[in-house]
Amino acid sequence: MKFISKLIVASIAGFALAACQAEDPNMAGVSGKTVISTGTAAIGGEFTLTDHTGDVLTEEALLGKPHLIYFGFAYCPDICPTSLQKMGAAQQLMGRAGDDIGYVLITVDPERDTVEQIAQYVTADPFPKGLRGFTGTVEQVEVVKAAYKVTSIKRAMDGGLVEPGSTDYTVDHSDIIYFMGADGKFVDFFSSRSTPQDIAVRVRQELMKSDK
Ligand code: NI
């Protein structure tokens, strides 16, 4: 089991960053290369963030039921909406089981994703019902990104360097939906190639296992 976890971490690390810019859709998705690493790092861990209602919370907020977790940001024109819509479609497909899991968006753009901004974003109609948005300080977001092996990089819209204090940028980031168990431990992940059906089948399978 430990060996499998290592391979999963390695393949997540091998994903290309998804370019969150509408005019560059070919950059989306996985790179197709799997980097074999001997790292033993697990997915998930401690964090402190603020949810879209303004409540400060920690990793304990994810305990008690399984969660689908996505890292993205509200200004993302293309990749994030696609993945969050996919989560929403999976929720619909799961029927009642879809209510037994939690849905979370963690921002990779805390400077622009204020509590107000993310509160508005999580209510978008095709996104999962009950989707919660988490934001925080730049430092807090770096901690949770590191825990989930998420990478992101700011890129100026004109392709140049991002000037300090500038809000004119996009963020390329990992495009992965994490499936975490009710115990807070990593179960599986879904890439841009996964369909809503893939997610629904896998989640139901896991929920049935925990019912026994
Ligand atoms: Ni995005």
Side-chain angles (χ1 to χ4, degrees):
M1 195 59 201
K2 261 199 174 138
F3 179 66
I4 293 168
S5 306
K6 280 181 200 171
L7 285 180
I8 288 167
V9 171
S11 59
I12 287 171
F15 286 150
L17 293 184
C20 275
Q21 203 168 5
E23 55 268 34
D24 196 7
N26 293 329
M27 285 289 290
V30 296
S31 67
K33 65 179 174 190
T34 299
V35 180
I36 303 301
S37 127
T38 52
T40 52
I43 301 289
E46 295 179 10
F47 61 79
T48 301
L49 293 167
T50 302
D51 77 4
H52 67 276
T53 69
D55 285 343
V56 174
L57 48 80
T58 69
E59 67 284 353
E60 290 183 11
L62 302 178
L63 300 179
K65 62 179 172 183
H67 279 81
L68 289 174
I69 302 175
Y70 187 75
F71 287 76
F73 65 109
Y75 286 100
C76 182
D78 189 8
I79 308 302
C80 294
T82 303
S83 292
L84 291 167
Q85 281 172 33
K86 196 154 67 176
M87 267 167 75
Q91 182 187 42
Q92 296 291 314
L93 285 172
M94 283 184 270
R96 222 182 278 169
D99 300 333
D100 293 339
I101 60 171
Y103 305 85
V104 172
L105 166 69
I106 301 179
T107 187
V108 293
D109 185 16
E111 289 155 281
R112 291 185 299 186
D113 279 343
T114 59
V115 168
E116 295 73 25
Q117 173 75 18
I118 212 149
Q120 197 188 349
Y121 189 64
V122 293
T123 61
D125 191 31
F127 295 174
K129 287 183 190 68
L131 176 66
R132 300 169 72 193
F134 293 179
T135 187
T137 64
V138 171
E139 292 74 20
Q140 287 173 334
V141 168
E142 286 304 318
V143 168
V144 72
K145 275 171 57 187
Y148 283 82
K149 310 294 178 280
V150 164
T151 48
S152 68
I153 189 163
K154 273 193 205 175
R155 191 160 52 83
M157 298 306 279
D158 63 5
L161 292 172
V162 181
E163 299 295 332
S166 168
T167 55
D168 188 25
Y169 61 84
T170 186
V171 186
D172 294 345
H173 60 91
S174 314
D175 184 23
I176 297 163
I177 296 171
Y178 291 98
F179 180 27
M180 306 297 285
D183 58 0
K185 296 208 171 89
F186 175 82
V187 177
D188 210 341
F189 73 95
F190 307 100
S191 75
S192 60
R193 289 176 183 166
S194 308
T195 65
Q197 287 79 5
D198 294 336
I199 298 171
V201 166
R202 185 71 184 88
V203 170
R204 287 181 103 149
Q205 189 184 38
E206 196 61 26
L207 289 173
M208 274 160 65
K209 218 192 321 183
S210 59
D211 278 348
K212 279 173 192 162

